[in-house]
Structure formats: C-alpha cells, structure tokens
Amino acid sequence: MSPAVPPAVPPRHMDSVLAILDALESPARGGSPGTAAALGRGLGVCSTPGCRAVLGEPPGTPERPLALTVGQWQLLTELLRHDPATPELGAVLAPDGSTVALGPLLAGIEAGLRSGGFGPPLPTLDPPADPLLAVTIAEALGTSFLLAQGNDNNATTLGPGGCWDDVENPQNYTLRGPPSPVPDPVAIGAMDGVLLGAQLARRPLPVAELLRGYYGVGNVSGAGRPLSSYRRRDFGALAGQERLEKEVAAVLGMLRTLSPSLELLRDMGTQEVEAVARRAAQEFSERYVECPAIVPRCLWGARPYRGTPALLQPPLGLVFLHHTLEPARPCRTFSACTRAMRDMQRFHQDTRGWDDIGYSFVVGSDGYLYEGRGWHWVGAHTKGYNTQGFGVGIVGDFTATLPDPDTLALVRDELLPCAVRSGHIRPDFTLHGHRQLGRTDCPGNALFQEIQSWSGFQ
C-alpha cells in the first residue's frame, strides 16, 4: 500500500482565509455571512469565560464543510483552536505586513453581526459593558494585567511581536520573546475585530468582502494605503484610553461574578480593579495606539549585520531626517517598501562597504516604519554624529514635492513623541536635516523647508 499523501495546507496568509470564507459564504453552497463566525465558535474562538458570557456557549465540534478542502479545513482548525500557551499558532500574515490573530478578529465580527441584527441578539451585561470591546480586547487585556499583579509585576503584560519563516509563503510564526496573554498579533486582531465589528453593526455584509476591502487584498496598483494600515489611529478614535479603561474595569467586574478560576479577583476591591484597568488601558494605548508600528528586520528580509555592531547610549539628544533619493518614488505597499529596504541595504553594504543599512529607521508611505539599525545600534547616516543621534530616512525624493500628510504625521506626531516617552530620545532633543551637518542636499528642499516648523528643529 502506498503511504497516504498529507493534505496540501495553504499558507498562513489572509489570502488563504479569504479563499476559505468565499467557499463558506457562497449562497450557491448554502452559506451566509454568519457561517464563518458560527464555525469559528465551534472550533474554539471565544473559549474564555467573559467571551462565552457575551456570545453564548459554543456549539458542538463541527464537521468539515463540503465546501472546504481537507487542507483548508486543517488550516482553519489550527488557526482557531484556542491555546493560551501557543498564541502564535492562531495568526496569519496580512497583505499590509501585519500579523493578525484570527480569534479576536472573528469574535469581533460575530459581535458586530449580531448587534447589527444578524443572528440572536446580544445579552445585556452586568455591569454594563460593550459586548464588542469585551470579546475582542477588554477581557484579554484585563486578564493579562490582573495576572501580572499576582506575579509581583515581573510578568510580561503586552507583546512580543514575532517573525515569519517566509513572507511569500508563511507557514511558521515565531514570537521574539516570552508571550503575554496579549502578544502583538492578538492586539492587532483585537483592534481589527473592534473596527470591523463596528462596521458590521451598522451594515451587515459578507465577511470576505469586508476583509478584502479592509486589508487591501488585490490592491495591486498600490495607489492608496489599505484601511488596515490606519488601525491604530481608527481604534484610538473609537476606543480611546478613557473608554478602554472603563470597559476593562466593567469586564473584570463581570468576571468576578462568573469565574471562580480567577482567584485574584476575589480579594480585590473596586479601587484595585480600577487601578488594574487604568494601567492596562494606559500601557495598551501607549504601545498600540500612540506609537507607530515598526516592521522588524526579519520581516523585510534583512541580511545579517557584517562585523560587530556598536551599542548606542540612550537617551540621545539628536534626530537627523533624510530622504532616500533612491528609490525616488515613495513606497505605498508592504511589498514595495520591503523591496526598497533590501535594495538600500544591498547598496549600503556592497557599494558603500558599510556593515549594514545606514539608517536607524526608514519610513514608508504605507503607514509603517521599517527597522534599520534600530534603537540600540550605532548607524551610518550622518557622518561624525552617528553615536549622538538616530537617523530617520523617508523613502522618496523630496527635492520638489513633500511626502503625503499621513507620512509626515507618522514621523512628527507619532515616532518622535513615542521615542521621547519610551526613553530613546531626550525630551529636549533637537531635530536636524541631514544637510545641516554635511555637504548634501538631503533631505531635499521641500522636506527641509517643511521640518523647519516642527517641534525640536534647530
């Protein structure tokens, strides 16, 4: 007998999820917008006490729908089986380069559909809590910070991020540190679940169509940023720190009545619960709303550093702004920006003979920062000053034109204030254009004129 051939499991990419949703939601095959959410619940989405209190007990374990191949079914069951010890197994790579946990995303989608009148109505919670925020982020966040209280504050409460083995064919995602109950993919999936759930509450539509529009799948022109690249801004507008704090406190109050397993809650007074909620909302907002997302080296395909990098001694007092000149066109998609990063690193290492790409960070017009030398290592961006400051390059030639307003805001309103708060640069830092410290036209006439109005410019 010949050995059984294992099923072809699709890559862990949002495209694979969309193909599954298309098959499940096809009216010709008896599907509907709620099919995927119901299936997700049966497979293990929403297995925590608070989520079950909101969305109800899960149905029995489902059989493979005929619309899905064996490989698709295997992928879906692996992605949706909730296991707190291995949160990275529930994540997929999105077209914008972010890594999204499907559990909180689908929980938010179900809550949105049901509050929009599709499916059974949601219960009224006591204490009053927003069901959408409860099932996506509030319970996970409250639980994470509550457990940290019980561990003398040494436990990791948020993060870490991670890396894929291959962005073209992602199969394995590895966290870059000890996991918390809210690693980066869970935080991202939760924010997306809130935003898309809120949209579905206003107008139910097929989930595949919703995700395609949000993540920019098939947007090959690269003319505009996908909506998903604005998740931090949009989540902050919908659920700012104050509202998030209130919802975390409400969910912890609800858990107190539900779950004997959370022993920590039994001995906590209202003020202590409120203090946990305050800290959770503040730290989440600072990390995932007020600070920009940084694409790590492993995700853009960086070559190794050559030689031995030298450590910086933060906080530093200087920031130098550059334009890349080559490529001259701003990059507006993850694939275009990662290609630009690899090209620049190759030029800096092979032609210039440097150890690595010179910049500390590079800014794409896709809404993301890309890690070059990063916060910790001396760069090669501003001759004579590399040990004293960070070099930030914006992809494009800004001699005659400016980066778009969103890209300027990413540097001015997010990166620089975040770097001060996190202790990488001093509150009294000074900002310079590269040309002020060397014989160069960088960062271009238009961009140099623009930054003269920015805080810290000297």
Side-chain angles (χ1 to χ4, degrees):
M1 245 174 78
S2 59
V5 179
V9 180
R12 290 174 179 257
H13 196 279
M14 192 61 76
D15 291 355
S16 304
V17 175
L18 284 162
I20 290 169
L21 289 171
D22 281 333
L24 289 174
E25 294 186 334
S26 160
R29 303 186 200 180
S32 72
T35 307
L39 204 56
R41 294 285 307 293
L43 290 172
V45 168
C46 189
S47 57
T48 55
C51 194
R52 287 204 307 270
V54 177
L55 296 182
E57 292 300 319
T61 309
E63 298 281 313
R64 172 174 69 90
L66 294 176
L68 300 186
T69 68
V70 174
Q72 285 178 318
W73 182 240
Q74 184 176 326
L75 176 66
L76 196 63
T77 52
E78 287 173 3
L79 288 171
L80 299 182
R81 192 180 293 121
H82 179 75
D83 180 1
T86 52
E88 65 274 16
L89 296 182
V92 296
L93 180 63
D96 67 351
S98 54
T99 298
V100 182
L102 277 193
L105 174 65
L106 282 183
I109 282 170
E110 181 178 350
L113 283 168
R114 284 172 59 177
S115 56
F118 197 96
L122 293 166
T124 304
L125 302 174
D126 182 29
D130 182 323
L132 178 58
L133 283 162
V135 300
T136 48
I137 190 60
E139 183 185 15
L141 199 51
T143 304
S144 182
F145 280 78
L146 196 63
L147 292 171
Q149 290 273 109
N151 287 335
D152 303 322
N153 289 343
N154 287 332
T156 309
T157 47
L158 296 170
C163 277
W164 289 96
D165 50 351
D166 179 353
V167 294
E168 298 301 321
N169 181 27
Q171 299 288 353
N172 298 296
Y173 182 74
T174 307
L175 291 171
R176 300 192 298 163
S180 73
V182 189
D184 286 5
V186 169
I188 291 166
M191 289 192 285
D192 290 352
V194 169
L195 294 169
L196 296 176
Q199 198 177 326
L200 287 169
R202 295 191 299 271
R203 185 172 73 95
L205 76 162
V207 177
E209 184 185 324
L210 177 77
L211 296 185
R212 218 171 242 113
Y214 181 72
Y215 292 110
V217 176
N219 178 19
V220 286
S221 69
R225 284 171 55 179
L227 293 172
S228 55
S229 71
Y230 292 101
R231 68 169 60 83
R232 293 178 180 230
R233 181 199 71 184
D234 294 346
F235 179 86
L238 199 66
Q241 186 177 323
E242 202 173 296
R243 183 176 176 206
L244 194 55
E245 180 185 325
K246 176 174 156 284
E247 296 299 337
V248 171
V251 164
L252 289 177
M254 182 175 79
L255 288 179
R256 195 198 295 261
T257 63
L258 284 178
S259 173
S261 60
L262 281 173
E263 297 289 338
L264 291 164
L265 272 169
R266 287 184 171 179
D267 307 321
M268 292 182 78
T270 305
Q271 286 182 317
E272 290 170 289
V273 168
E274 287 172 353
V276 169
R278 189 176 311 115
R279 186 173 152 232
Q282 180 184 343
E283 290 191 23
F284 184 89
S285 297
E286 284 177 357
R287 178 165 179 155
Y288 295 110
V289 178
E290 295 165 20
C291 285
I294 298 174
V295 175
R297 293 169 63 90
C298 56
L299 271 185
W300 60 261
R303 294 169 168 182
Y305 191 96
R306 291 177 182 169
T308 307
L311 268 172
L312 288 167
Q313 303 293 322
L316 304 184
L318 301 172
V319 177
F320 309 106
L321 206 63
H322 302 251
H323 68 167
T324 62
L325 200 59
E326 275 297 320
R329 290 174 62 123
C331 61
R332 301 190 189 280
T333 62
F334 175 66
S335 59
C337 291
T338 54
R339 191 165 55 247
M341 292 298 290
R342 293 190 295 272
D343 289 347
M344 281 186 277
Q345 186 187 38
R346 197 160 41 242
F347 174 67
H348 289 177
Q349 287 185 323
D350 298 350
T351 306
R352 292 271 172 88
W354 299 346
D355 293 333
D356 197 1
I357 189 170
Y359 306 111
S360 308
F361 296 97
V362 177
V363 186
S365 293
D366 63 337
Y368 295 98
L369 294 172
Y370 288 78
E371 180 186 27
R373 305 274 180 121
W375 294 121
H376 304 296
W377 307 110
V378 175
H381 44 78
T382 314
K383 193 171 182 181
Y385 296 89
N386 290 314
T387 59
Q388 298 170 51
F390 296 103
V392 178
I394 303 180
V395 176
D397 174 355
F398 301 113
T399 304
T401 58
L402 279 174
D404 63 81
D406 287 336
T407 302
L408 291 171
L410 186 67
V411 180
R412 182 188 61 227
D413 305 335
E414 295 179 50
L415 172 63
L416 295 177
C418 178
V420 170
R421 273 197 311 276
S422 52
H424 297 300
I425 62 176
R426 293 205 302 262
D428 61 346
F429 78 93
T430 55
L431 173 70
H432 299 276
H434 184 195
R435 63 172 63 183
Q436 293 173 273
L437 302 150
R439 297 174 64 183
T440 174
D441 291 332
C442 179
N445 291 341
L447 184 53
F448 184 62
Q449 183 74 33
E450 160 67 26
I451 66 171
Q452 290 176 48
S453 65
W454 290 14
S455 174
F457 178 83
Q458 191 167 314

